[in-house]
Amino acid sequence: MTSSEVRGPDAVFAAGLEEGEFRIQRCGGCGRHIHYPRALCPACGAPGPETVRASGRGTVYATSVVRARPGHGEDYNIALVDLAEGPRMMTRVVDTDPQDVRIGDAVTAFVGEIEGNRVVLFRPATTPSGGEEG
């Protein structure tokens, strides 16, 4: 497929991840941000939402710890994160103990890997000076 060919919303999202960017969509009709990628805006039905780079800022809405069986890896969390732009997504918060993730925590997105797949992950947010946000 050449870059001039039309690609579906999932392929555009995946291409962004391969380039190390977390992208979401924004509807040209109503201005709403959309995630997971879609061909039509779920709010107003307008076709062809544009793809934009996400701010990467979010807040933990819900979290749960998945306990690994002994000898089968480490515990991890599954979280719902509200993006600063509005959509909510399922993800993981990493670089912290899974049970330390709390509802309301500020988090920052990055593109990482799980089992060889490029995905959007989050880590606890820090201030520009490197300290925890308050």
Side-chain angles (χ1 to χ4, degrees), residues 106-108 123-133:
V107 291
T108 303
R123 58 176 55 111
T126 57
T127 62
S129 64
E132 292 293 317
E133 282 189 352

Side-chain angles (χ1 to χ4, degrees), residues 22-95:
F22 172 31
R23 301 174 186 159
I24 59 176
Q25 294 175 303
R26 181 175 50 217
C27 177
C30 68
R32 179 179 176 168
H33 285 87
I34 304 162
H35 185 78
Y36 204 77
R38 305 196 182 150
L40 301 173
C41 175
C44 72
E50 68 176 320
T51 300
V52 297
R53 189 171 187 171
S55 70
R57 295 184 320 272
T59 304
V60 175
Y61 175 81
T63 182
S64 181
V65 177
V66 177
R67 304 282 181 201
R69 292 187 340 215
H72 289 87
E74 297 183 14
D75 296 347
Y76 61 93
N77 79 348
I78 299 292
L80 293 177
V81 170
D82 287 338
L83 302 177
E85 293 85 356
R88 180 175 295 153
M89 68 181 292
M90 185 178 290
T91 184
R92 291 187 190 175
V93 179
V94 299
D95 297 343

